[in-house]
Amino acid sequence: MILLVLGLALWVGAHLFKRLAPDARAGLGSSGKALVAVAIVAALVLMILGYRAAPFVAVWTPPPFMVHVNNLLMVVAVFIYGMSATTGRLRGKMRHPQLTAVKIWAVAHLLVNGDLAAIVLFGGLLLWAVAEVVIINRSEPWDRPAPGPAKKDVTLVIVTIAMFAVITAIHAWLGVWPFPG
């Protein structure tokens, strides 16, 4: 559990560094980007290793139907995450599509995982995403981008389906079958 908490703390610190200490971050110059990138990768490794090694401490038992809710929310999360890269009509409909997707992802995973490590990991990342949105909204104005062509949104739907298939395949490969039955 210690690795999980350290990874989560490093993730939050690396992501909030630019916002909470902009002068210190600017003082690092371009090498600061590499430092933050290394910290984020290290945080991911620590969170993954910590989560996999954490003892299973049951806090609550999710009802079986939550798997369906999780899968639906995951399709939505992948779609919304993709909105950050789209140049279609949906561009500019949401200020923080990536952070919103992280929040949906975290809630979806909290619905199907009732153990302490899952609550720490997914709950911690949910709290981070909420804090990040609040900090960004308070500190930076938003220039809403102009919408692009609708055909790009069709591409987003196709990419969402493909990415969801890849994500479910990775879960299956890791031994976590994401579908009931």
Side-chain angles (χ1 to χ4, degrees), residues 29-54:
S30 61
S31 64
K33 288 183 181 180
L35 180 65
V36 170
V38 168
I40 289 170
V41 170
L44 277 171
V45 169
L46 288 171
M47 286 188 290
I48 292 167
L49 294 176
Y51 182 72
R52 292 183 67 95

Side-chain angles (χ1 to χ4, degrees), residues 46 56 60 85 97 107 110 149-150 159:
L46 288 171
F56 184 83
W60 72 290
V107 168
L110 286 169
V159 170

Side-chain angles (χ1 to χ4, degrees), residues 9 27 38 96 99 114 118 138 153 158 164 168 173 176 178 180:
V38 168
H96 307 287
L99 290 167
R138 287 185 177 170
D153 295 332
I158 294 166
F164 183 73
T168 57
W173 178 68
V176 181

Side-chain angles (χ1 to χ4, degrees), residues 86-108:
T86 188
T87 56
R89 305 283 312 155
L90 294 174
R91 180 176 61 178
K93 294 291 183 188
M94 182 180 293
R95 182 169 183 182
H96 307 287
Q98 290 180 354
L99 290 167
T100 301
V102 169
K103 291 185 278 188
I104 295 167
W105 167 84
V107 168

